[in-house]
Amino acid sequence: MSKTKRSMGWRIGKVLLIILGILLLLLLILFIYLSRVSKIEPPVITDRSADLLERTNVSDSFYYLNNNWLHLSRSGLYELYVEGKPYERGVINGKLTKELVQRQEDHFSAQIEKMVPSTFYRHFLKYLIGFFNRDLPNQVKEEYKQEIYGVSQAASDKYAYIGTPYQRILNYHAAHDIGHALQTMALVGCTSFGTWGSHSKDSAFIIGRNFDFYVGDRFADDKLIAFIQPDSGYGFMTVTWGGFTGAVSGMNEAGLTVTINAAKTDLPPGSATPVSLVAREILQYAGNIKEAIAIAGSRKMFVSESFLVGSAADQKAVVIEKTPEALDVYDPSQNHIICANHFQSPVLGKLPSNQEQIAESASAYRYKRVQELLAEAKQNTVEQTIQILRDTRGQQGADIGLGNEKAINQLIAHHSIVFEPNKRLVWVSTAPWQEGQFVCYDLKRVLSMRGLKEAREITDSSYLIPADTLLQTGDFKRFLQFRTFKQRILDGGIVAPDSIIASNPSYYHAYVLAGDMAVQQKKLAEAIRYYRQALSKEIATVQEKVAIEEKLKKLEQH
């Protein structure tokens, strides 16, 4: 090699090393920047006397601390009562539910590991989320920051690599919103509705909802029915989980109910008040619809959401629809209301993104199915409401397979709940999903309790709704087998295509999985047949239909 060529090669190598060095330096600067901006300082607490409190363990299923208690009921639901000032009730909540807080973070982290197997990417994701949520504390009421900080004292140390306990627990309150934005709510397909006046038997005011938020099976293991008596505002109840102080379904002592339903949203530019904390504020401080609208309007959100608000004071329900830029209200001006995952108000209902959601998602289909069933339930009751929430059929009673997103009951619900605001009664589902018994709580009675003996049995057995008869059917047993097959495939296992289809023969996704298995086994003719059969079934979304068509086209052109 000539001296000139060697010299040129050396110069090129030197330039490449300089470029590489600059890139590494930029990455280091980015890492340092993300590390700094992602740190969240806890609120300043002047009175930390609550830190010295300790719970008393009566048994493995019953703990108390002053007037506060945690009880694992016979139904399998954890029941919690907490009172006091923000930081105090947060600390007490954490001390009583310590095991639940830590288990819930275990389940959440395990699901994240499944979704993001790479340790490197998980660590990088930590900084991205930290950057995204860098202004989150500025968007959360001081009261709730103090309460969350109190709860965070119970968090485990083993996730310190993600952040401090306070930083982690605060960020988890925005997990619903971040997942909503990134997944366009593939994780959430909730349905809610209400009837009153002439549409209900004895003019009862009834609201029901399915909270179809799925983050793995273990996420719903330890459901927590929390009764909170704060030092300001109304006492209220929510269905929640360890470490979570926000609200997704709840009712307050004034007979005001709140449930949240995700709507289509764009990727937000930065953090704002988490939806669950807006719902929590409404529960704690609103006694009627006007006050609920005022609270929702005062908070900036970074995703689009519907709040179905029922009010005993107003004797009706409305849907407060909110985007990061606007707020509108859907008032049906009739004796019933339905809410799925699209907007209905005069202004927001016309948004192009909302029209796309109606056309391409499963939301409008589920909405129409609720309309059909409410038309049949002309004199609606709590029992009929639960029957509707358990409905697994498609429109006009079509068999669309168990687990279809177009069904009201997708068999993924974290919980299902029914309210009677006038009587302050609430029914909550027990496992599995909304198929087990619905147990009833009298909110007025629970909030007035102080005695530990009373706290051990707070449900009203006279209002118990039996488990769904579906649990005893062969269809349900086969569905459980289908879920096992699906998980085995996700874990990289092999399942015979015919076995998959036999486990859920009316469900389009069974044929998709069968086709995928056939492709893996190089049985392309069989795969084509399975994909064609999938297209003949009721497919949940346009996006999924297009994906199946692309798989089929690729094979037919092979």
Side-chain angles (χ1 to χ4, degrees):
M1 181 182 294
S2 67
K3 184 177 180 181
T4 303
K5 287 183 178 181
R6 284 197 301 273
S7 177
M8 185 179 294
W10 181 83
R11 286 197 297 271
I12 292 173
K14 184 178 180 180
V15 170
L16 290 174
L17 284 173
I18 292 171
I19 292 173
L20 180 60
I22 292 171
L23 288 174
L24 289 173
L25 180 60
L26 289 173
L27 284 173
L28 180 61
I29 293 171
L30 177 62
F31 175 79
I32 294 171
Y33 172 72
L34 289 175
S35 297
R36 287 183 176 178
V37 299
S38 64
K39 288 183 178 179
I40 296 176
E41 294 299 324
V44 176
I45 307 297
T46 55
D47 180 5
R48 301 200 59 151
S49 57
D51 293 348
L52 303 176
L53 298 172
E54 293 296 336
R55 75 185 188 188
T56 298
N57 297 7
V58 178
S59 68
D60 290 340
S61 62
F62 190 81
Y63 312 133
Y64 73 89
L65 198 166
N66 295 339
N67 288 332
N68 311 274
W69 42 262
L70 174 72
H71 176 229
L72 175 59
S73 71
R74 288 193 294 261
S75 68
L77 300 174
Y78 283 91
E79 298 160 346
L80 172 72
Y81 173 82
V82 172
E83 62 185 24
K85 297 179 181 179
Y87 181 71
E88 176 189 15
R89 64 178 182 256
V91 170
I92 291 171
N93 184 336
K95 287 179 180 291
L96 289 171
T97 65
K98 180 178 180 179
E99 292 79 8
L100 303 185
V101 172
Q102 296 185 3
R103 276 208 298 269
Q104 205 66 30
E105 188 167 19
D106 288 341
H107 301 333
F108 190 77
S109 298
Q111 189 66 18
I112 294 296
E113 287 182 14
K114 282 186 178 180
M115 296 168 66
V116 187
S118 168
T119 303
F120 172 80
Y121 284 121
R122 284 201 304 275
H123 279 269
F124 187 63
L125 183 63
K126 170 186 72 174
Y127 292 112
L128 285 181
I129 292 174
F131 175 76
F132 183 85
N133 282 339
R134 65 194 182 279
D135 295 324
L136 183 58
N138 299 328
Q139 307 292 338
V140 177
K141 278 171 64 83
E142 182 66 22
E143 174 183 0
Y144 298 147
K145 284 190 286 189
Q146 290 186 20
E147 188 172 359
I148 290 169
Y149 183 41
V151 172
S152 73
Q153 309 299 313
S156 170
D157 293 331
K158 65 182 175 181
Y159 298 107
Y161 70 92
I162 297 176
T164 65
Y166 173 65
Q167 185 175 353
R168 299 195 318 264
I169 298 297
L170 181 63
N171 279 329
Y172 293 154
H173 281 75
H176 168 92
D177 309 56
I178 294 170
H180 177 356
L182 296 179
Q183 302 261 349
T184 317
M185 278 353 271
L187 302 178
V188 178
C190 305
T191 309
S192 53
F193 62 93
T195 61
W196 54 91
S198 60
H199 208 314
S200 294
K201 187 176 180 180
D202 300 325
S203 296
F205 186 14
I206 305 168
I207 294 174
R209 79 93 106 250
N210 286 336
F211 183 59
D212 292 315
F213 182 66
Y214 184 76
V215 196
D217 290 339
R218 301 302 303 276
F219 181 74
D221 280 355
D222 300 321
K223 282 187 279 291
L224 189 60
I225 317 304
F227 299 88
I228 310 297
Q229 190 71 273
D231 64 326
S232 61
Y234 296 103
F236 61 92
M237 66 77 58
T238 67
V239 183
T240 183
W241 48 89
F244 188 74
T245 66
V248 295
S249 305
M251 177 170 65
N252 71 21
E253 60 185 332
L256 184 124
T257 70
V258 180
T259 60
I260 61 175
N261 286 44
K264 188 173 179 63
T265 195
D266 296 323
L267 185 65
S271 62
T273 308
V275 168
S276 66
L277 292 179
V278 178
R280 160 67 188 272
E281 188 175 355
I282 291 172
L283 267 185
Q284 187 174 342
Y285 290 105
N288 55 48
I289 290 170
K290 182 179 178 180
E291 292 173 355
I293 293 171
I295 290 171
S298 71
R299 297 298 167 197
K300 178 185 176 184
M301 290 177 8
F302 61 114
V303 292
S304 299
E305 199 85 11
S306 295
F307 300 83
L308 192 151
V309 175
S311 168
D314 299 288
Q315 284 299 293
K316 68 175 184 179
V318 301
V319 179
I320 302 172
E321 299 177 346
K322 189 168 172 61
T323 71
E325 297 83 24
L327 179 147
D328 206 350
V329 178
Y330 170 64
D331 185 342
S333 300
Q334 57 189 9
N335 53 17
H336 68 276
I337 194 167
I338 304 171
C339 181
N341 298 108
H342 61 273
F343 289 149
Q344 306 172 70
S345 58
V347 176
L348 299 184
K350 295 176 183 177
L351 289 174
S353 59
N354 188 59
Q355 292 301 309
E356 181 182 336
Q357 175 80 342
I358 291 171
E360 298 185 0
S361 76
S363 181
Y365 188 99
R366 271 186 284 113
Y367 188 99
K368 290 177 182 176
R369 178 57 178 163
V370 177
Q371 283 182 316
E372 290 178 358
L373 295 174
L374 281 182
E376 295 174 9
K378 298 182 186 301
Q379 292 284 293
N380 190 36
T381 63
V382 169
E383 291 81 1
Q384 287 176 313
T385 298
I386 290 172
Q387 187 176 343
I388 293 172
L389 292 172
R390 286 172 169 170
D391 185 68
T392 59
R393 294 275 168 168
Q395 292 176 16
Q396 300 179 338
D399 183 0
I400 59 175
L402 294 178
N404 196 317
E405 191 183 341
K406 282 188 169 178
I408 298 167
N409 175 10
Q410 303 165 44
L411 294 169
I412 61 169
H414 177 272
H415 65 266
S416 186
I417 191 167
V418 177
F419 304 102
E420 262 207 82
N422 292 344
K423 297 179 180 178
R424 311 301 194 264
L425 297 177
V426 55
W427 286 259
V428 182
S429 64
T430 62
W433 310 298
Q434 58 270 71
E435 297 304 295
Q437 296 177 333
F438 274 68
V439 296
C440 181
Y441 300 94
D442 181 333
L443 180 59
K444 289 186 291 186
R445 175 172 169 256
V446 176
L447 289 179
S448 66
M449 282 182 178
R450 289 296 184 272
L452 298 173
K453 186 175 181 180
E454 283 185 285
R456 294 195 190 212
E457 187 50 65
I458 64 173
T459 59
D460 190 329
S461 59
S462 65
Y463 287 110
L464 183 72
I465 306 295
D468 194 354
T469 55
L470 175 67
L471 292 176
Q472 309 306 320
T473 65
D475 286 345
F476 185 75
K477 292 180 176 63
R478 283 187 287 273
F479 172 71
L480 295 180
Q481 184 64 66
F482 169 77
R483 296 180 84 250
T484 300
F485 287 155
K486 184 177 178 180
Q487 188 57 53
R488 190 183 303 170
I489 293 169
L490 289 173
D491 292 338
I494 302 294
V495 180
D498 288 345
S499 296
I500 302 171
I501 292 169
S503 66
N504 207 348
S506 299
Y507 188 29
Y508 74 94
H509 195 56
Y511 294 87
V512 175
L513 292 175
D516 293 346
M517 284 289 96
V519 169
Q520 193 169 330
Q521 297 168 4
K522 308 298 183 185
K523 298 177 181 179
L524 303 189
E526 288 186 21
I528 289 173
R529 175 164 56 86
Y530 292 134
Y531 291 144
R532 285 176 177 168
Q533 287 176 299
L535 290 170
S536 71
K537 303 296 180 182
E538 192 66 63
I539 300 173
T541 67
V542 170
Q543 184 180 6
E544 289 178 273
K545 183 179 180 182
V546 169
I548 299 167
E549 289 172 339
E550 288 177 352
K551 288 182 178 184
L552 181 59
K553 183 179 179 180
K554 184 177 179 180
L555 288 180
E556 288 176 335
Q557 292 176 345
H558 191 274

